[in-house]
Structures are given as structure tokens and as C-alpha cells.
Amino acid sequence: MGHDVTSGRLVVLADGEAIARHMAEWLTELALTKTGGPFVVALSGGSTPKRLYEILGSAEYATRFPWARTHLFFGDERFVPPSDPASNYAMTQAALLSHVAIPPAQVHPMPTDGDPVQAAARYQAELQALYGATELQPGRPLFDVVLLGLGDNGHTASLFPRQPVLQERRLWVSTCVPDDAPHTRLTLTYPAIHSSRHVVFMLAGAAKRDVFARVRAGDPVEPASHITTEGGLTWLVDKAAAGV
């Protein structure tokens, strides 16, 4: 069936903590019921996802979640060393990975060494190896879940305004050099995100209210407005961001 940002389900919760706790339970139940292959997730950076990862790394979830058959990828990454404070991987390592028994080979950080274009190609090859094909096939999603945030400038993952990556329709992973934010980035492209069973946006705070309203209305100027999925799309939004 498929969904986009205008047709996706809206869930309004009290605050960022409630979003993170709701997501932890939903993600765990989804993972536990997955059959016929690994559970594959693309992680997001940001403060609300960080809290989600801390909850998943707590005793309650660390033993419940089926880490042994889960593969974790990243939706985007700044082209900085893995130990850099700006690294999404570094944040995830501290909040989640160091607390759970996931096999190291099933954690797939984006490479941030050498040439960024070549690093993007290496990451695409890693995704293709798990997927078992070099072309995305309708009805056979690459990801079970893609987690996304939303920047004040309408970006999601590292799909930033005015950048060539917004026109990419062939590659699964590409580069982005924002003109309004630091660091070269690697990012999943629109086609890779589309190949998902679930896309979930998580956003909290009054600062997100205006951009959320624009993207929810499908404003074509906003990069996040062009996110689609062949599965379901959900907005997990707190009351401040929803304006209620």
C-alpha cells in the first residue's frame, strides 16, 4: 500500500520521554514477532533517539529484545572519527551498544575514513550483502524499521536542503555536504528509506512545531516532505511539537 508524510499515522504523546518509552515497547514487540530473517533497523541520531537507546539498553529491554537476530544500520553519519562527540555511532555505542549482547558483526556503522564517496559505496555494498541483491525489489523491504528525526530546516537523515542528494534515485547511500550545518555526511537516500516496512519519525519540543506542520502538509520545499515507504509511516510527536 505505502505511505508518505501526509498519510502516515499521527500519535501524539506527552513529551520526549513518553515517545522514547512508547517506541522501545513497540520496537521490541515488532522484533519479537519478526519471522523469516533478521530484524533490520536503521538508527537515527538526536536526543529523543538517544533516550530510546538508553531505554533499550536498560535491564528491562537488554534481556528481552532479540539482539542475536537483529542488525543495526545507521540512517546517516557525520564524516568524523567514530570516537568524535559528533558521531551518531559514538552516541549509540555509549547509550545502547555497550549495554546489550548484540553480536559485533551485526552492528554496521557507516565508514568515515578515506574518500566519502567511496565510503558511501562501501556501505551500500554492506547493505546489498545482507539484502542479497543489488537492486531494491518492491514487496521485499530492505529495512524493517527506519528511525528518522526532523531538523528545523526540514532535513531528515542527512537529506539537507538544496543538496544534490535530494535528486538521487539510484544509489542507496550517498554523500551530502550541507551549506547550513557542519561536516560532510553519509546518508541513506530516498529509495533506500522507501524500501522499509515501517518509517517512524520521532520529534519533541515546541521548536519542531512549525517545521512539523510544513512537512505534515507535504510542503515540497522541505526535504523530509519527500519521504515515502512501501509500508507504514508513523509520526511520534509530543504535545509541544504537535501544537496541542
Side-chain angles (χ1 to χ4, degrees):
M1 180 176 170
H3 284 281
D4 61 19
V5 294
T6 66
S7 67
R9 184 172 64 110
L10 174 62
V11 178
V12 179
L13 297 166
D15 52 24
E17 178 71 13
I19 290 172
R21 292 197 172 276
H22 177 94
M23 189 63 190
E25 186 60 27
W26 177 83
L27 198 65
T28 301
E29 290 299 325
L30 192 67
L32 288 170
T33 57
K34 171 71 185 291
T35 58
F39 186 67
V40 185
V41 181
L43 301 176
S44 170
S47 57
T48 304
K50 179 182 179 181
R51 182 61 186 135
L52 165 64
Y53 305 154
E54 290 171 345
I55 293 168
L56 289 173
S58 68
E60 178 185 358
Y61 288 95
T63 53
R64 238 181 97 205
F65 199 95
W67 300 110
R69 53 185 179 84
T70 296
H71 281 258
L72 298 177
F73 288 86
F74 287 77
D76 72 316
E77 185 59 276
R78 298 171 184 89
F79 209 76
V80 297
S83 58
D84 192 292
S87 166
N88 286 338
Y89 172 76
M91 179 272 283
T92 306
Q93 172 67 26
L96 173 64
L97 301 176
S98 60
H99 304 286
V100 299
I102 185 170
Q106 293 169 207
V107 178
H108 306 269
M110 286 184 158
T112 56
D113 59 303
D115 175 71
V117 173
Q118 293 177 356
R122 283 156 52 199
Y123 204 61
Q124 178 167 311
E126 199 166 338
L127 282 164
Q128 289 171 335
L130 184 67
Y131 188 64
T134 57
E135 298 290 335
L136 294 169
Q137 301 166 13
R140 189 177 162 228
L142 173 63
F143 297 107
D144 290 291
V145 180
V146 176
L147 304 180
L148 293 174
L150 181 62
D152 296 347
N153 62 357
H155 86 272
T156 192
S158 279
L159 299 166
F160 276 80
R162 300 172 293 281
Q163 301 311 310
V165 69
L166 301 182
Q167 278 69 56
E168 181 58 61
R169 296 297 180 268
R170 183 180 58 85
L171 298 175
W172 304 7
V173 185
S174 191
T175 60
C176 181
V177 185
D179 60 20
D180 57 356
H183 306 299
T184 295
R185 319 287 182 105
L186 299 189
T187 185
L188 296 179
T189 61
Y190 288 129
I193 295 170
H194 177 78
S195 184
S196 53
R197 299 182 196 281
H198 300 276
V199 166
V200 183
F201 282 90
M202 294 183 290
L203 50 150
K208 303 291 185 183
R209 184 181 304 169
D210 290 345
V211 68
F212 167 61
R214 293 194 300 272
V215 173
R216 180 66 169 166
D219 183 344
V221 172
E222 310 296 341
S225 294
H226 302 278
I227 293 294
T228 62
T229 170
E230 64 177 75
L233 188 146
T234 301
W235 290 96
L236 293 184
V237 182
D238 76 349
K239 290 182 178 180
V244 297

